[in-house]
Amino acid sequence: QSCLRSAGQRASPGSGGLPEGVEYIPTRKKGKNPMKPVGVAWYSLYARTRLGYLFYQRQVKKARERYPHGHSVPQPYCFPGVKILPIPVLSNNYSYLVIDTGSSQAAVIDPSDPLAVQAAIEEEGVMLEAIFCTHKHWDHSGGNEALCRKHNSCRVYGSALDAIPQLTNGPCSWHSPLADRERVSVGCLTFEALATPGHTVGHMVYVLDGGPFGSPPCLFSGDLLFLAGCGEPFEGSPETMLASLDVAMGLGEDTLLWPGHEYALECLTFASLLELDNSALEQKLQWAVQQRQEKRSTCPSTLGEEQTYNPFLRTHRPELQEALGLWQGGGEDPDAFRARVLKEVRRRKDLYQAT
């Protein structure tokens, strides 16, 4: 597969569009998400017991049968000295193989399916030195053990606050718990870990420093942030999630967003129900429809783009607040009001998912 050189050389969100005379009618048909509908009891079983692992194994088996070549057609991204290869796994997850092309050393983010990741490693002819796990859920960490056993020098990185497989229960040589703002180098690649609790207590995102390669920063966001969406705050409050989203948004508008799931069409369709007159949203939705009709990945977007159509990042926008029927109370703290807006967006998104 050829590489795209930079985000600026992607097709623009509205390019291609729909064939002339064809009208897009949003539907609510979407990829299966194992975490919905989800109650407290089911989440506890999934996240804290062996039942969750068995469910994950069933997910892997079914996805390999249904999507032998992955659920989407990914597009590798190349900059001088670095290559980012999205790996479509399970029914809608993404793992990412990030390669220092000079040394052929590589890191993988959230290796859900070890066979798919190993196939990419062998095809690229690289040495796996690091696994960066955003959080403990099996659909992001299930491949840790198999890959560590295959690659002796590989270390698992993540938050000690999450029970990440092989970070807390594997051989000591595999353990590499990270603190907020800690940096890790893999060859010439430098990743910074940012604590972003909410989805889980120990959720982290990883930022690849693009400076040495003449590229924008790259945010591997796990289940914090999706294209036009954000993760469920299973282990945090709206205030916690808002603070974590603000951490991500502090990275700069040119930052490339590489999310943990292919949820773009679902999230954009939901967002379009909130803001009926958002032209950026309408254009992005048309582009996403075309991409998904062709089974193409919608990754990456940029944080600048996301601010124009992602309702979870627009809690400060009067037009969204008005659409939700929310107004800031006299003397109400601005961030407290934004958290209230975020909570309402989340509530409506959950109702949308359940229908």
Side-chain angles (χ1 to χ4, degrees):
Q1 290 179 301
S2 62
C3 287
L4 293 183
R5 299 298 297 181
S6 69
Q9 290 176 294
R10 287 181 291 141
S12 63
S15 65
L18 295 175
E20 185 175 353
V22 175
E23 179 185 4
Y24 169 63
I25 302 175
T27 70
R28 296 190 178 184
K29 183 179 180 182
K30 24 194 185 295
K32 291 183 179 179
N33 178 352
M35 304 306 291
K36 68 181 185 188
V38 63
V40 174
W42 165 238
Y43 178 73
S44 296
L45 290 172
Y46 178 82
R48 299 185 177 94
T49 71
R50 181 168 174 77
L51 183 63
Y53 179 68
L54 296 175
F55 181 80
Y56 153 76
Q57 287 185 313
R58 181 171 175 267
Q59 279 185 283
V60 172
K61 183 176 183 294
K62 290 179 66 176
R64 287 173 180 170
E65 293 171 352
R66 184 176 181 183
Y67 306 109
H69 304 294
H71 58 74
S72 301
V73 179
Q75 178 64 63
Y77 265 58
C78 292
F79 304 100
V82 63
K83 180 177 183 178
I84 299 173
L85 178 64
I87 306 171
V89 288
L90 304 185
S91 61
N92 53 41
N93 282 71
Y94 285 112
S95 300
Y96 295 98
L97 188 65
V98 186
I99 303 168
D100 170 13
T101 56
S103 67
S104 293
Q105 293 178 291
V108 66
I109 291 90
D110 287 353
S112 307
D113 183 345
L115 290 186
V117 173
Q118 181 60 31
I121 290 169
E122 292 177 3
E123 183 174 349
E124 296 295 326
V126 297
M127 300 170 289
L128 185 65
E129 299 294 334
I131 293 171
F132 292 102
C133 249
T134 59
H135 62 293
K136 64 189 174 186
H137 293 157
W138 290 108
D139 63 323
H140 293 258
S141 63
N144 289 4
E145 181 176 3
L147 290 171
C148 282
R149 295 195 183 283
K150 185 87 173 172
H151 302 273
N152 294 332
S153 63
C154 183
R155 298 181 69 86
V156 178
Y157 295 91
S159 170
L161 297 177
D162 261 18
I164 293 174
Q166 278 56 64
L167 181 69
T168 54
N169 61 358
C172 290
S173 60
W174 295 353
H175 297 185
S176 293
L178 294 174
D180 184 33
R181 307 284 174 176
E182 190 169 349
R183 291 173 176 257
V184 177
S185 293
V186 177
C188 292
L189 309 174
T190 300
F191 295 86
E192 183 179 15
L194 300 177
T196 51
H199 185 66
T200 65
V201 171
H203 193 286
M204 280 187 152
V205 299
Y206 300 97
V207 183
L208 174 66
D209 181 5
F213 313 106
S215 77
C218 292
L219 170 62
F220 299 95
S221 62
D223 281 0
L224 170 69
L225 188 61
F226 310 128
L227 193 153
C230 93
E232 288 271 7
F234 290 122
E235 299 180 11
S237 64
E239 291 78 10
T240 302
M241 201 66 166
L242 179 65
S244 291
L245 291 170
D246 284 348
V247 167
M249 294 313 297
L251 295 172
E253 293 188 356
D254 65 337
T255 301
L256 298 180
L257 173 65
W258 300 93
H261 290 270
E262 179 58 70
Y263 290 159
L265 194 53
E266 172 190 337
C267 290
L268 286 163
T269 303
F270 165 72
S272 71
L273 302 177
L274 297 182
E275 293 194 69
L276 302 179
D277 299 318
N278 186 325
S279 59
L281 173 56
E282 181 181 357
Q283 187 180 34
K284 191 70 175 182
L285 177 56
Q286 287 186 342
W287 173 81
V289 169
Q290 187 72 30
Q291 289 291 102
R292 298 312 297 154
Q293 283 177 344
E294 299 170 1
K295 300 299 182 185
R296 293 190 176 276
S297 170
T298 57
C299 305
S301 64
T302 69
L303 294 186
E305 281 186 272
E306 291 297 313
Q307 291 181 75
T308 67
Y309 51 67
N310 187 329
F312 295 94
L313 301 179
R314 292 172 59 79
T315 55
H316 62 294
R317 299 293 299 185
E319 54 267 44
L320 178 62
Q321 296 164 5
E322 184 177 349
L324 297 172
L326 296 177
W327 289 268
Q328 186 173 355
E332 184 177 13
D333 179 81
D335 284 343
F337 176 53
R338 290 177 59 218
R340 191 154 60 88
V341 174
L342 184 68
K343 182 178 181 180
E344 178 61 15
V345 175
R346 181 77 265 169
R347 186 188 73 82
R348 295 193 184 202
K349 181 65 163 63
D350 292 343
L351 289 174
Y352 172 77
Q353 289 175 327
T355 57

